[in-house]
């Protein structure tokens, strides 16, 4: 039953997009309060996070992941909130690493808990690689962004720990917001140039409903590329695969590459092959969705693997998401769908 179906039998959505990536949020909790994702003013002491009983168990997550792999998924990414706050995460990594057909098993973290021992344990459990979020190299700016006074040096140490454990090259994600850290783009590029690690500069997005997003605060992909190119000439590179999120640029002098994720100025919905599973078992077919499909209930009612796979295929087959393409054109229609899901709830 585990062997993935032939390509012909795999589901595609209403725009002909296949399923390739499943992002699995294992918790809605985080030890940071990044202003563009989980502002303290909203996610404060009063905020009610998911109770443990509401979370999918590792066994349930594995069953859903297997159903998605049977429908074509090849990449699994663990996210949160902050995935490393979920206890015994290595047990889940072991389970997912055993799934036939998974070509890439990764995790996105803020590295606050990424000690050398933890990195080694994740690697031994079967994790392939790690993405680390780092939005500034200046302590005063970074602390203002993460809003828990967490220092840059500890994140850099986490990146070193990942590399030392064989989880590199690390993809370093930087959300670029004009007026906050936009002036640091070339500095961050310079810091990681020649290290083998790949910085991915992410346009500031209107995810969720709480980050006060304005188009004026978006530093677009062209501006980001120009800021880097002004210091180190870069040239575009072909994507690694269809649907790859980041547009790749290489340093002309051979010192490596960077990526730019341009959901606002250059939407890439046409090649979007990603689904997201929330920690309580809802599947979202778009990062900007307003509603998800509950799978926890059917899991706990004892659905068979076959029927579960059919549910995934049917859900994907109905999909027509292209939020980023219509973000500025169909605002009324999008507003009528209701509040968007929070990124901290389904992961980036
Ligand atoms: S906006 Fe939605 S459909 Fe478009 S690329 Fe992002 S997740 Fe995919």
């Amino acid at each position: 039953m585990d062997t993935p179906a032939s390509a012909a039998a795999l589901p595609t959505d209403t725009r002909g997009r296949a399923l390739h990536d499943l992002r699995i949020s294992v918790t809605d909790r985080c030890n940071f309060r990044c202003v563009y994702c989980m502002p303290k003013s909203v996610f404060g002491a009063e905020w009610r996070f998911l109770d443990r009983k509401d979370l999918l168990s590792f066994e349930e997550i594995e069953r859903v992941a297997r159903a998605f792999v049977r429908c074509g998924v090849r990449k699994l990414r663990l996210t949160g909130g902050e995935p490393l706050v979920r206890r015994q995460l290595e047990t889940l990594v072991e389970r997912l690493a055993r799934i036939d057909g998974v070509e890439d098993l990764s995790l996105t973290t803020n590295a606050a808990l990424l000690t050398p021992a933890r990195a080694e344990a994740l690697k031994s459990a079967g994790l392939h690689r790690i993405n680390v979020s780092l939005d500034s190299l200046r302590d005063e700016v970074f602390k203002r962004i993460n809003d828990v006074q967490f220092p840059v040096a500890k994140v850099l140490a986490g990146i070193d720990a990942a590399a030392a454990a064989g989880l590199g090259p690390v993809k370093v994600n930087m959300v670029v917001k004009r007026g906050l850290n936009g002036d640091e783009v070339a500095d961050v590029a310079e810091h990681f140039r020649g290290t083998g690690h790949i910085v991915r500069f992410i346009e500031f997005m209107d995810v969720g409903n709480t980050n006060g997003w304005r188009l004026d605060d978006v530093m677009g992909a062209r501006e980001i590329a120009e800021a880097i190119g002004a210091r180190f000439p870069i040239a575009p590179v072909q994507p690694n695969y269809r649907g790859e999120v980041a547009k790749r640029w290489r340093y002309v002098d051979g010192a490596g590459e960077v990526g730019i994720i341009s959901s606002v100025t250059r939407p890439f919905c046409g090649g979007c092959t990603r689904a997201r599973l929330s920690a309580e078992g809802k599947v979202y077919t778009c990062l900007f969705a307003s509603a998800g499909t509950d799978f926890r209930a059917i899991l706990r009612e004892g659905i068979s693997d076959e029927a579960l796979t059919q549910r995934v295929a049917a859900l994907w087959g109905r999909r027509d998401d292209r939020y980023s393409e219509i973000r500025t054109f169909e605002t009324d229609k999008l507003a009528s769908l209701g509040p968007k899901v929070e990124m901290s709830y389904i992961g980036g």
Side-chain angles (χ1 to χ4, degrees):
M1 188 63 194
D2 271 344
T3 311
S6 67
L10 295 173
T12 56
D13 70 10
T14 61
R15 297 173 186 281
R17 298 168 292 189
L19 243 181
H20 187 264
D21 310 49
L22 177 65
R23 299 187 175 179
I24 302 170
S25 169
V26 295
T27 179
D28 61 338
R29 296 169 191 259
C30 185
N31 43 13
F32 280 10
R33 288 290 178 275
C34 297
V35 291
Y36 57 80
C37 174
M38 217 176 185
K40 229 182 235 172
S41 55
V42 177
F43 297 89
E46 306 305 307
W47 183 266
R48 275 198 49 84
F49 289 100
L50 294 170
D51 290 335
R52 195 164 180 73
K53 66 175 175 29
D54 299 327
L55 301 180
L56 289 190
S57 67
F58 291 162
E59 191 235 345
E60 290 169 330
I61 293 174
E62 181 187 347
R63 287 196 64 203
V64 174
R66 285 184 182 281
F68 272 87
V69 169
R70 288 190 285 269
C71 291
V73 161
R74 298 292 169 270
K75 287 184 67 163
L76 297 177
R77 181 172 313 154
L78 296 174
T79 67
E82 168 50 45
L84 296 183
V85 305
R86 176 106 185 227
R87 279 191 297 244
Q88 295 164 336
L89 188 69
E90 288 76 5
T91 306
L92 175 61
V93 171
E94 277 167 15
R95 283 173 170 268
L96 299 177
R98 286 197 299 258
I99 300 177
D100 188 14
V102 173
E103 294 163 3
D104 183 45
L105 176 57
S106 66
L107 175 145
T108 298
T109 175
N110 61 25
L113 301 171
L114 192 58
T115 60
R118 194 79 198 265
E120 289 290 346
L122 289 163
K123 176 67 180 177
S124 322
L127 194 69
H128 298 170
R129 56 183 188 81
I130 275 190
N131 296 0
V132 171
S133 307
L134 179 61
D135 300 311
S136 172
L137 290 170
R138 297 180 198 148
D139 251 354
E140 78 277 8
V141 176
F142 186 53
K143 289 178 177 179
R144 194 155 22 101
I145 293 174
N146 65 54
D147 209 7
V148 292
Q149 301 312 305
F150 199 82
V152 171
K154 286 192 175 170
V155 177
L156 295 176
I159 292 171
D160 293 343
L167 292 165
V170 172
K171 290 188 176 170
V172 179
N173 293 339
M174 176 185 180
V175 174
V176 181
K177 184 178 177 184
R178 193 189 302 286
L180 182 61
N181 59 356
D183 59 346
E184 272 195 73
V185 165
D187 295 340
V188 172
E190 181 165 0
H191 181 90
F192 290 102
R193 238 172 69 86
T195 64
H197 301 315
I198 300 172
V199 184
R200 299 174 335 147
F201 299 94
I202 305 172
E203 291 182 346
F204 177 42
M205 295 183 283
D206 53 333
V207 285
N209 318 283
T210 60
N211 68 5
W213 186 82
R214 301 176 316 137
L215 194 53
D216 293 350
D217 296 334
V218 176
M219 196 171 158
R222 186 177 50 73
E223 245 182 298
I224 292 170
E226 285 170 0
I228 300 165
R231 200 178 292 184
F232 309 103
I234 53 175
V237 186
Q238 287 305 309
N240 289 308
Y241 62 92
R242 183 168 185 267
E244 185 170 23
V245 176
K247 177 152 179 46
R248 300 170 64 204
W249 295 80
R250 65 177 174 80
Y251 291 112
V252 169
D253 66 0
E257 66 175 81
V258 297
I260 301 177
I261 299 178
S262 57
S263 164
V264 180
T265 62
R266 293 185 187 146
F268 38 80
C269 302
C272 180
T273 58
R274 291 171 292 284
R276 293 169 171 86
L277 175 68
S278 77
E280 65 177 336
K282 289 203 178 103
V283 171
Y284 293 81
T285 54
C286 175
L287 177 58
F288 302 92
S290 297
T293 303
D294 178 40
F295 275 65
R296 187 182 63 197
I298 55 176
L299 284 166
R300 294 184 179 176
E301 286 157 11
I303 190 171
S304 72
D305 287 343
E306 190 148 357
L308 185 61
T309 306
Q310 286 158 3
R311 292 286 185 104
V312 169
L315 174 65
W316 191 255
R318 294 192 297 273
R319 180 199 189 218
D320 70 346
D321 299 281
R322 59 189 194 103
Y323 176 91
S324 288
E325 287 177 356
I326 60 176
R327 169 191 280 115
T328 46
F329 306 115
E330 301 186 23
T331 45
D332 296 347
K333 175 187 164 201
L334 292 170
S336 70
L337 298 173
K340 290 170 283 177
V341 64
E342 290 296 337
M343 184 161 83
S344 61
Y345 175 80
I346 54 166

